[in-house]
Amino acid sequence: MRDILKTEELDIPEGVTVEIKSRVIRVTGPRGTLTKNVRHVDMDIRALKAGKDKTKVTLAVWQGGRKHVACLRTIRSLINNMVIGVTKGFQYKMRAVYAHFPVNCIIQEQGRSLEIRNFLGEKTVRHVKMLDGVTVSESKAQKDELVLEGNDIENVSQSAASIQGSCRVRNKDIRKFLDGIYVSDRTTVLQD
C-alpha cells in the first residue's frame, strides 16, 4: 500500500551548515566539508531555518511504496553521519593478531598508505592505500594497534575493510589460523 506522504526530520547542531541543491547535500563544520550526491533517490530534501541559529532538514516521500519509504531513514542517517563527521570525526582502531609470525605494519606517505609484512611468515608485501581524507597511524598506548581517522565514515570504514581484507587467510583452516588485522573499536575522534 502506498502512503500519501511520509516525512523524517533531523535537527542540525550549531556551527554546522547544510546546503542542499538538487539533491546534492553539502555539510560544512569545524573539521571540514563533506559532499554527498543522492540524486538516485526520489525525495524532497529541504534545509529549513527553525528559529535563530537552528537548522532543520526535512525529508519527504510522496506516494511511496515500502522500499521507497525505507530510503527516508537511510538518507537521514547519511546526513547525520556527515554532521558527526564534520564535528567530531570518525576513528577506527584495528589490532594485529598473530599466533607465531609477528605481523609488521609500516605506515608510509604520512599515513596515506600501509605496508604489511611477514603475515603468516609470507614473503609477499601487502600494500593498502587509504581513501580520501583517511589517515592511518600507530597507537601510542597499545602494541600492534592501528588508528584510522577521518571525517567520512564510508571512507574510514572502507579503508579498515581493505586492510582486513588484504590479510585474509587462504587455503588453510580459518578456525585454526586466526591471524589478521581486525577492527577492535569504532568511536569518534573527539570524545564527549
Side-chain angles (χ1 to χ4, degrees):
M1 194 186 109
R2 287 177 174 270
D3 295 300
I4 294 171
L5 174 65
K6 281 280 187 186
T7 58
E8 280 275 351
E9 285 188 348
L10 177 65
D11 291 320
I12 306 299
E14 288 178 33
V16 178
T17 58
V18 178
E19 299 165 38
I20 298 160
K21 189 164 194 267
S22 62
R23 288 196 297 248
V24 174
I25 302 160
R26 187 183 177 86
V27 180
T28 308
R31 289 179 60 91
T33 305
L34 292 174
T35 308
K36 187 111 190 125
N37 186 343
V38 290
R39 284 191 177 146
H40 60 283
V41 181
D42 186 25
M43 69 170 60
D44 292 339
I45 307 173
R46 291 204 173 98
L48 305 170
K49 292 269 187 276
K52 63 176 202 300
D53 302 334
K54 285 275 188 183
T55 311
K56 194 180 273 188
V57 174
T58 59
L59 312 161
V61 166
W62 295 85
Q63 304 289 342
R66 189 167 147 259
K67 297 270 171 127
H68 194 185
V69 169
C71 293
L72 274 173
R73 188 77 179 188
T74 304
I75 302 300
R76 181 185 181 277
S77 297
L78 281 175
I79 299 169
N80 194 33
N81 282 336
M82 290 166 78
V83 169
I84 294 168
V86 297
T87 52
K88 297 179 183 174
F90 291 99
Q91 183 183 73
Y92 276 43
K93 290 181 181 172
M94 303 187 79
R95 294 284 296 275
V97 178
Y98 50 86
H100 188 272
F101 294 103
V103 179
N104 286 342
C105 297
I106 300 152
I107 291 155
Q108 297 176 328
E109 300 171 29
Q110 289 89 40
R112 299 288 298 122
S113 77
L114 182 71
E115 186 180 271
I116 301 160
R117 291 177 177 271
N118 201 33
F119 176 69
L120 288 179
E122 294 173 7
K123 292 289 178 210
T124 52
V125 179
R126 293 162 165 81
H127 296 278
V128 183
K129 285 229 182 289
M130 299 296 111
L131 293 174
D132 289 337
V134 182
T135 57
V136 61
S137 59
E138 285 182 0
S139 174
K140 307 278 188 286
Q142 185 72 46
K143 181 177 171 279
D144 294 325
E145 186 173 65
L146 298 171
V147 178
L148 281 77
E149 291 181 345
N151 293 349
D152 191 347
I153 191 171
E154 290 184 11
N155 286 359
V156 175
S157 57
Q158 183 57 58
S159 297
S162 299
I163 292 169
Q164 185 172 334
S166 70
C167 295
R168 279 208 325 276
V169 178
R170 293 183 178 86
N171 306 323
K172 290 184 177 66
D173 185 356
I174 57 168
R175 295 169 298 181
K176 192 73 180 162
F177 290 84
L178 299 170
D179 294 26
I181 302 174
Y182 301 106
V183 174
S184 62
D185 191 20
R186 291 190 279 261
T187 60
T188 54
V189 178
L190 302 174
Q191 304 296 329
D192 290 330

